[in-house]
Amino acid sequence: MMQTHAPWHTRSVDQTISELEVTADGLSTDEARRRLAESGPNELPQAEGTTPWQILIAQFKNVLILILLVATALSAFLGELLESAVIAVIVLFAIVLGFIQEFRAERAMEALRRMAAPTATVLRDGHERDIPSRELVPGDLILIASGSRIPADARLIEAASLKLNEAALTGESVPVEKHTQTLSDPGLAVGDRRNLVFSGTDVAYGRGRAVIVATGTDTEFGQITGMLQGVPEHRTPLQESLDKVGRVLAIAAAIVVILIASFGVMRGEPLLEMFIFGVALAVAVVPEALPAVVTISLAIGVQRMVKRNALVRHLPTVETLGSTAVICSDKTGTLTRDEMTVREIWIDGRSFDVTGSGYEPTGKIEIPAGGESEREGLERLLTGSALACDAHLELEEGIWKLYGDPTEGALIVAAAKAGLDKEALQGAMPRIGEIPFSSERKRMTTLHRTEGSTVAYAKGAAEVILNACDRYAGTGDPSVLDQGVRSRIEAAAQTMAQKALRVLAVASKPDAEIETAEQGMIFLGLLGMIDPPRTEAKDAIAKCEQAGIKPVMITGDHPETAQAIARELGILQGGRVVVGRELDAMSDAELEASVAEIEVYARVSPEHKLRVVTAWQQRNRICAMTGDGVNDAPALKKADIGVAMGITGTDVSREAADMTLTDDNFASIVGAVEEGRGIFSNIKKYLMYLLSSNIGEIGLMAVATLAGLPLPLSAVQILYVNLATDGLPALALSFDPPENDLMDRPPRDPKTGIFTRPVVTLMLVGGLWSTAVNIGLFTWALESGRELSHAMTLTFLSLVLIQFFKAYNFRSDRQSILYRPFANKWLNLAILWELMLLALIVYVPVLEEAFGTYDVPLNDWLLVVSLALSVVPVLELTKWLIRRFVPLEQVGELHPGAGSR
């Protein structure tokens, strides 16, 4: 009973009925019950979900979070309750936010289940019944009607003018005609199996009957589910970098504690005092504000992206998008409008371009001046094409919506652009009869009452309409359709088809009767239509290439259509166009070797899309995938970042994706890329500032200890430096405006991470200069006879001020501090606030006692500020050397064009 080897589309109706043991009355109730027990319910299996507790526990597997928890306990042990509370709040914030985000991470399976048809009309025991779709079994005879959703994969045994909308499964932009004929080629793509209907697709037109051949996970839909479950989760470069930072800092903290404590004890210092001091220094080494800075940076980027019509589900993927080198984009609904549009009209040797796109009736038909005869011919053609349609357009909330076939919608809009309203035409010439469209006839004919007579209009395939005509109207009175004119019409249709236009012909017959309406007709002309590219997509693709990002089209549509759209958008520029069968013939190694040369993939399946994404990832390229259909979901999840469409996208694609475009606009991706690059840049700025400051602090304490000097800072002063410099100033760097050349740089190499050679150089130079200045100041103060507390105060102030100056320096790792030095208003406010607190610590008696400071006179302030300011020219010289001698690829960027052509 079940399928053996030959695909179902290669079996005849009789073979299918015989193998599945189906009768004219359908299955009996008992037989259906037996088969249900054998094959299982017609539903997608529930994926093994992760419990909330598992998600919560997973948040503690982050190395940085564990260090921060230890730091919280150590701060409390030191009696620094404020420090402990701050760390605890930040850790809690990071854990809760991560929990909320991950709780929604595996909902693609649930969306797939929701898309399954809840009920189906089936023939059982000779009677039509509506039953839950989960009870359907192979061999069930289902009834299909316009507007219904197919509940399982089935072989058609009857089809009357049947068209299905399979865009969500195959990417086909127009409804697909279905038939019952046997197909001989076992290797046909899903979109070409015209005698099968597939689970989860919708009936756009007509009716039929079909025998179910596959249910549940055996359907095409179910196989996508299996692929979705099999795609592993991936970590973003940002997560990898931060975990690396956490591990390095953990090791550094341990080494610092051991060394400082050991040398102190060897020098005769009390063991407990040295342990407490070492722990305080270790706490200062750990960047407790890092999760907050990262979260705030990402959250700010998300808010900006929402304003630019992009909604992000997982915060770290914002940064991933910023390092994207390849965007694999579905065509239908993403690069195109998913709205058929008439582009060209041909009448008697004359072609007319039609402007505008989509279902909005704006635009015009470009008629040369004085072309009254052309205008009359156009009106005849467009009147006939509009009246021979069942679709209609309605304006809803300022948006034109189509009800009916997309091809008919294009014809109605074309007529409207010529000033012909379908409703008015129908009022003047009401329909009194029709011969409906069928896949065998390839045309539709309607009869209309006019003043004193009846006129017939037919639209359909050019060759079919042409064969029904013996005259042609052109731009004047009807003339005999001789072989020369016929050849000219056929050549025009072929030329339009070569432009990837779908060509329809229109004819009329006056004084028509239903029996002879399709004989002896008058040929009126040709209309060429296409699902047009989005007007803004071309500019967006140009910007992507400027930023070193390679756009690639991956679609289930025909190669001619895909090639025409790709060339018009600028995606296809001398590269290869590959179809699904060619991909099947390639090994994974061959695909990986040639993937950079391929710019368009056509007639592909979900498995092909996964292979393409994987091939780019094997070449070490961060790969984004955009799409809106069910067929895109596995690749959306496999890609480093999946981008779904919010309006036309399916639930499956939105749940599988990391980001959703709320306006379905490819151009919004460019804005998202810019935000992602800006976010990573700000996180890099923070880390440069933070770690350079930590190097200065550790260096100061280590050199003093090794030199046998007293400790230059107390535990309280260290903790305050940690809070003051790593707090508000560091957070303010999260709000830093993007650098002006962000989108002129090639994508970052995902293996490089944050700590490139220039970044490490700047951190070391800033940290070591801070160490040298402060150890020199401390030594001079002691040797000049100052009290130890005074020497410690001067060192404390110098350390804080140096780090404030470094905050401005590290707003860029290449550009000078003189470039928009005070552009970050939040940093200005943070530094001003911290300076006020510093003044209170120095001059308020209670705080003087707590922090061990004294009333610093003006001369000492001038000395401290001068020494602190010296870090600016040192870092400026370092940046100049970097700009002059370090190329972009060593700053963490790929070679220019590596992600592009």
Side-chain angles (χ1 to χ4, degrees):
M1 180 184 71
M2 301 305 292
Q3 182 175 355
T4 52
H5 297 290
W8 287 108
H9 66 270
T10 64
R11 309 186 198 189
S12 67
V13 171
D14 291 339
Q15 283 179 311
T16 304
I17 290 174
S18 174
E19 289 186 35
L20 292 173
E21 301 174 11
V22 184
T23 68
D25 293 333
L27 298 177
S28 66
T29 302
D30 291 339
E31 176 63 15
R33 189 180 296 117
R34 186 188 68 77
R35 295 190 186 190
L36 183 63
E38 179 182 315
S39 62
N42 176 40
E43 60 184 3
L44 302 178
Q46 182 69 48
E48 266 187 55
T50 306
T51 66
W53 282 111
Q54 289 173 321
I55 296 174
L56 184 61
I57 292 172
Q59 307 307 309
F60 293 91
K61 294 181 181 179
N62 183 294
V63 175
L64 195 56
I65 293 293
L66 293 177
I67 295 175
L68 294 175
L69 290 174
V70 173
T72 304
L74 292 176
S75 295
F77 175 76
L78 288 170
E80 297 297 331
L81 298 181
L82 177 62
E83 176 81 353
S84 178
V86 169
I87 298 173
V89 169
I90 293 174
V91 172
L92 181 63
F93 178 68
I95 289 174
V96 170
L97 187 61
F99 173 81
I100 293 172
Q101 291 293 325
E102 294 302 320
F103 187 69
R104 301 180 65 249
E106 297 298 329
R107 295 180 60 190
M109 295 304 303
E110 184 180 342
L112 279 167
R113 291 168 60 87
R114 285 199 304 268
M115 282 196 69
T119 62
T121 303
V122 64
L123 195 65
R124 291 225 179 134
D125 299 316
H127 301 286
E128 290 186 17
R129 297 178 183 174
D130 287 331
I131 65 171
S133 63
R134 69 184 306 276
E135 297 178 10
L136 292 173
V137 296
D140 258 328
L141 194 59
I142 58 172
L143 280 66
I144 301 170
S146 179
S148 63
R149 173 165 286 185
I150 304 300
D153 290 1
R155 172 66 162 90
L156 285 166
I157 60 173
E158 291 180 18
S161 304
L162 186 62
K163 292 184 180 181
L164 263 73
N165 181 5
E166 296 182 344
L169 185 64
T170 67
E172 184 71 52
S173 57
V174 297
V176 178
E177 297 176 17
K178 294 292 182 175
H179 57 70
T180 62
Q181 300 166 15
T182 304
L183 301 172
S184 59
D185 187 351
L188 285 178
V190 172
D192 293 326
R193 300 173 195 173
R194 299 299 179 91
N195 57 10
L196 297 180
V197 292
F198 300 102
S199 172
T201 59
D202 300 316
V203 181
Y205 190 85
R207 59 180 179 81
R209 291 190 179 199
V211 178
I212 291 179
V213 297
T215 60
T217 55
D218 292 329
T219 64
E220 293 293 330
F221 215 123
Q223 290 172 26
I224 292 176
T225 309
M227 286 188 290
L228 203 57
Q229 286 180 303
V231 175
E233 291 290 337
H234 55 270
R235 295 175 62 77
T236 72
L238 180 60
Q239 289 171 322
E240 297 286 356
S241 294
L242 294 184
D243 275 356
K244 182 179 179 180
V245 170
R247 288 191 294 269
V248 170
L249 292 176
I251 295 171
I255 293 174
V256 165
V257 171
I258 293 171
L259 288 179
I260 298 293
S262 298
F263 277 103
V265 171
M266 290 171 59
R267 249 177 25 198
E269 300 287 346
L271 177 62
L272 180 59
E273 181 179 334
M274 291 311 302
F275 174 75
I276 292 174
F277 183 84
V279 168
L281 186 56
V283 171
V285 171
V286 177
E288 70 277 354
L290 181 56
V293 169
V294 172
T295 299
I296 290 171
S297 295
L298 294 173
I300 291 170
V302 168
Q303 292 169 7
R304 291 174 181 163
M305 289 169 68
V306 167
K307 295 177 182 178
R308 299 171 84 164
N309 302 305
L311 180 63
V312 173
R313 293 180 63 220
H314 306 290
L315 292 180
T317 59
V318 180
E319 177 272 333
T320 310
L321 185 65
S323 59
T324 297
V326 183
I327 298 178
C328 297
S329 176
D330 188 50
K331 176 184 71 67
T332 305
T334 309
L335 293 168
T336 65
R337 295 176 61 95
D338 199 15
E339 297 176 353
M340 293 298 288
T341 302
V342 173
R343 278 281 186 87
E344 184 178 344
I345 297 174
W346 185 93
I347 300 176
D348 192 18
R350 296 174 177 84
S351 293
F352 305 91
D353 293 330
V354 184
T355 62
S357 61
Y359 297 139
E360 186 174 352
T362 57
K364 64 180 180 178
I365 301 170
E366 298 182 345
I367 305 173
E372 291 304 319
S373 60
E374 286 89 348
R375 191 178 303 279
E376 292 175 8
L378 282 168
E379 288 187 357
R380 277 196 299 264
L381 170 65
L382 294 172
T383 296
S385 64
L387 287 174
C389 290
D390 290 326
H392 66 281
L393 290 167
E394 291 186 9
L395 185 62
E396 298 179 3
E397 299 180 356
I399 299 175
W400 288 94
K401 292 188 177 180
L402 171 69
Y403 292 89
D405 186 90
T407 299
E408 293 190 343
L411 298 176
I412 295 169
V413 172
K417 291 175 181 178
L420 301 173
D421 178 69
K422 185 193 175 188
E423 302 298 327
L425 292 174
Q426 286 181 327
M429 292 183 286
R431 185 185 297 187
I432 59 174
E434 69 177 85
I435 305 173
F437 176 90
S438 72
S439 56
E440 292 78 19
R441 292 170 14 84
K442 296 184 178 179
R443 60 184 162 183
M444 174 182 181
T445 304
T446 59
L447 279 74
H448 301 266
R449 183 186 300 113
T450 61
E451 296 180 2
S453 66
T454 300
V455 63
Y457 290 108
K459 74 174 193 309
E463 67 276 11
V464 173
I465 296 297
L466 194 55
N467 288 335
C469 298
D470 58 15
R471 290 171 294 166
Y472 74 101
T475 58
D477 295 329
S479 304
V480 175
L481 183 63
D482 58 27
Q483 187 56 44
V485 175
R486 190 179 297 273
S487 298
R488 196 165 72 239
I489 294 172
E490 291 172 345
Q494 185 176 3
T495 299
M496 294 171 77
Q498 289 172 349
K499 299 176 185 176
L501 297 176
R502 185 183 183 195
V503 183
L504 289 183
V506 181
S508 68
K509 183 176 183 179
D511 303 318
E513 296 180 357
I514 191 73
E515 295 80 11
T516 59
E518 295 179 337
Q519 301 170 17
M521 303 192 81
I522 302 171
F523 189 86
L524 299 180
L526 302 171
L527 300 105
M529 62 192 71
I530 197 171
D531 178 16
R534 292 179 176 271
T535 53
E536 60 278 4
K538 187 171 184 178
D539 291 338
I541 288 169
K543 289 181 181 177
C544 283
E545 295 199 358
Q546 180 183 346
I549 299 170
K550 180 181 178 68
V552 178
M553 178 187 289
I554 308 183
T555 178
D557 214 338
H558 294 282
E560 294 81 8
T561 304
Q563 187 170 336
I565 296 294
R567 185 171 287 113
E568 184 173 345
L569 286 171
I571 293 176
L572 189 59
Q573 297 182 8
R576 293 173 57 189
V577 179
V578 172
V579 297
R581 287 191 175 186
E582 294 177 71
L583 277 180
D584 288 332
M586 289 185 186
S587 67
D588 289 342
E590 289 172 334
L591 177 58
E592 182 182 337
S594 58
V595 70
E597 304 169 4
I598 304 172
E599 296 172 343
V600 176
Y601 299 85
R603 245 10 186 177
V604 295
S605 67
E607 295 94 333
H608 295 141
K609 295 186 177 186
L610 277 173
R611 288 189 65 200
V612 171
V613 170
T614 303
W616 276 112
Q617 291 174 333
Q618 290 298 317
R619 292 174 67 96
N620 193 33
R621 295 293 182 267
I622 296 295
C623 184
M625 168 70 185
T626 71
D628 60 354
V630 173
N631 60 321
D632 297 318
L636 286 174
K637 190 173 182 182
K638 170 64 176 175
D640 297 283
I641 179 162
V643 185
M645 304 296 111
I647 299 174
T648 59
T650 59
D651 287 343
V652 180
S653 63
R654 285 194 294 268
E655 290 295 331
D658 303 289
M659 185 177 81
T660 298
L661 303 181
T662 57
D663 61 350
D664 285 15
N665 192 338
F666 183 88
S668 298
I669 299 175
V670 179
V673 168
E674 185 174 1
E675 293 296 342
R677 291 187 176 189
I679 286 166
F680 188 86
S681 176
N682 285 352
I683 293 172
K684 181 171 66 175
K685 295 170 189 177
Y686 164 75
L687 283 173
M688 283 194 300
Y689 167 65
L690 168 79
L691 298 182
S692 178
S693 298
N694 286 348
I695 290 170
E697 295 166 18
I698 294 172
L700 172 63
M701 306 309 298
V703 170
T705 302
L706 292 173
L709 297 173
L711 293 176
L713 298 175
S714 68
V716 173
Q717 288 173 340
I718 289 176
L719 292 173
Y720 181 80
V721 169
N722 182 45
L723 281 176
T725 60
D726 301 351
L728 291 180
L731 293 176
L733 289 175
S734 305
F735 295 85
D736 208 50
E739 296 172 57
N740 61 342
D741 62 343
L742 269 182
M743 293 302 288
D744 295 329
R745 305 174 186 175
R748 288 184 304 102
D749 186 341
K751 285 187 175 180
T752 303
I754 293 176
F755 299 103
T756 60
R757 187 192 302 176
V759 168
V760 173
T761 300
L762 282 170
M763 289 192 309
L764 288 174
V765 169
L768 294 177
W769 185 259
S770 174
T771 297
V773 168
N774 288 315
I775 200 70
L777 175 62
F778 183 65
T779 303
W780 171 83
L782 291 177
E783 291 179 352
S784 63
R786 303 273 187 130
E787 296 179 13
L788 178 59
S789 62
H790 288 198
M792 293 174 68
T793 299
L794 293 177
T795 306
F796 168 67
L797 294 176
S798 174
L799 179 60
V800 171
L801 292 179
I802 281 179
Q803 294 181 176
F804 287 168
F805 284 122
K806 285 197 290 187
Y808 285 97
N809 267 104
F810 288 142
R811 289 188 55 241
S812 174
D813 59 339
R814 291 182 73 85
Q815 293 181 337
S816 168
I817 191 176
L818 301 178
Y819 172 72
R820 300 190 305 165
F822 303 110
N824 188 339
K825 64 177 182 179
W826 299 108
L827 180 59
N828 301 336
L829 292 173
I831 296 298
L832 183 61
W833 170 256
E834 294 296 345
L835 288 174
M836 291 172 58
L837 292 181
L838 196 61
L840 293 176
I841 290 172
V842 172
Y843 295 114
V844 174
V846 175
L847 296 178
E848 280 185 36
E849 182 179 352
F851 284 88
T853 60
Y854 73 103
D855 290 339
V856 179
L858 179 60
N859 288 341
D860 286 353
W861 272 116
L862 292 174
L863 173 65
V864 167
V865 171
S866 299
L867 290 173
L869 188 60
S870 66
V871 77
V872 173
V874 171
L875 290 174
E876 282 296 289
L877 176 61
T878 306
K879 287 185 186 180
W880 181 82
L881 292 172
I882 289 173
R883 289 194 300 270
R884 185 172 178 84
F885 297 109
V886 182
L888 276 176
E889 56 264 25
Q890 294 182 19
V891 186
E893 315 292 348
L894 295 171
H895 292 280
S900 189
R901 300 296 169 196

